[in-house]
Amino acid sequence: DAGITQSPRHKVTETGTPVTLRCHQTENHRYMYWYRQDPGHGLRLIHYSYGVKDTDKGEVSDGYSVSRSKTEDFLLTLESATSSQTSVYFCAISQLAGAYEQYFGPGTRLTVT
Amino acid sequence: SQQGEEDPQALSIQEGENATMNCSYKTSINNLQWYRQNSGRGLVHLILIRSNEREKHSGRLRVTLDTSKKSSSLLITASRAADTASYFCATDDSGGSNYKLTFGKGTLLTVNP
């Protein structure tokens, strides 16, 4: 999977708890993205990063924050998880800006009870 | 809001037949991409076609792009059971952020042996 790992791969958590998902890449790509995938909605962009410490919001950013302190790691944090954040989360990377080929991680299945 | 919309939502064919999926989008684009997702896995890039191209081939894949109609089609020839997957189109927005791709909701292709 193009040198992208996500951790954890599965997580069950309770409403109101903080959760952090990690994306790690070994490709030294500049751009990193977090998506969520839900039935009937396809893939939606949460946040993206265009460099270390450079991030911006995507389509569905409410309730999520991100951080990128080094090239290889992009963290997605749910400050206080809600049941509506139950989803499969994918990280993606690209060498060029988003209009070019993206490589996806294996996904994290998050369940908020 | 969804930029690309695939049609049909689901398609079931026999092995050896051709499969055609369509994608419509709303804004002007620089390029359009197609991705495949096997069940429980991340997305895999298949092919990218630029806005000044009308047709592109890659192995058994043929992609067409009609910018006047804001539509694209993906043709898989001589399908195999291993082609069973969801297929997504993804577009950028030439008038918006250069960093982001917007994905459609996908077409679920089932190839019966």
Side-chain angles (χ1 to χ4, degrees):
Chain A
D1 287 324
I4 309 169
T5 57
Q6 293 184 232
S7 58
R9 293 292 314 280
H10 301 272
K11 186 171 182 66
V12 179
T13 192
E14 294 185 349
T15 298
T17 59
V19 177
T20 295
L21 308 183
R22 180 181 184 234
C23 177
H24 179 77
Q25 61 144 328
T26 58
E27 305 296 323
N28 200 36
H29 284 359
R30 177 179 174 183
Y31 302 92
M32 299 185 75
Y33 309 83
W34 276 109
Y35 294 91
R36 60 177 289 173
Q37 186 175 35
D38 306 287
H41 290 278
L43 218 63
R44 294 181 290 174
L45 181 65
I46 305 171
H47 281 280
Y48 61 98
S49 170
Y50 47 96
V52 174
K53 297 186 179 178
D54 291 322
T55 65
D56 205 350
K57 296 178 180 180
E59 182 185 358
V60 289
S61 59
D62 287 348
Y64 302 95
S65 62
V66 290
S67 65
R68 192 171 178 198
S69 59
K70 44 186 179 178
T71 300
E72 57 266 36
D73 289 327
F74 192 31
L75 304 180
L76 177 70
T77 298
L78 291 65
E79 300 290 347
S80 178
T82 67
S83 59
S84 64
Q85 293 175 314
T86 292
S87 186
V88 180
Y89 292 86
F90 288 98
C91 174
I93 63 173
S94 66
Q95 196 167 18
L96 301 173
Y100 294 88
E101 178 177 356
Q102 293 186 11
Y103 300 94
F104 282 78
T108 294
R109 182 173 295 277
L110 176 67
T111 302
V112 183
T113 61
Chain B
S1 62
Q2 248 23 68
Q3 162 76 313
E5 293 288 342
E6 292 88 348
D7 170 64
Q9 291 185 349
L11 180 61
S12 181
I13 60 174
Q14 296 299 122
E15 210 165 22
E17 294 180 340
N18 295 341
T20 299
M21 290 158 270
N22 303 296
C23 170
S24 59
Y25 57 92
K26 298 175 183 175
T27 66
S28 296
I29 61 173
N30 294 309
N31 60 58
L32 183 145
Q33 303 179 46
W34 285 92
Y35 287 79
R36 183 189 74 232
Q37 184 181 33
N38 292 94
S39 181
R41 307 289 295 273
L43 279 70
V44 175
H45 181 265
L46 293 176
I47 195 166
L48 179 152
I49 185 167
R50 303 192 188 284
S51 60
N52 62 354
E53 297 176 309
R54 291 296 166 258
E55 186 171 315
K56 198 163 185 179
H57 296 255
S58 177
R60 293 185 295 113
L61 305 180
R62 172 180 169 246
V63 171
T64 61
L65 179 63
D66 187 335
T67 53
S68 67
K69 296 181 179 178
K70 292 187 169 56
S71 68
S72 174
S73 67
L74 171 67
L75 169 67
I76 303 174
T77 60
S79 63
R80 306 166 182 169
D83 294 327
T84 294
S86 291
Y87 292 82
F88 297 86
C89 67
T91 54
D92 66 334
D93 178 356
S94 64
S97 168
N98 192 37
Y99 299 125
K100 299 186 288 187
L101 282 179
T102 303
F103 289 81
K105 297 178 183 179
T107 292
L108 175 60
L109 173 66
T110 302
V111 181
N112 302 297

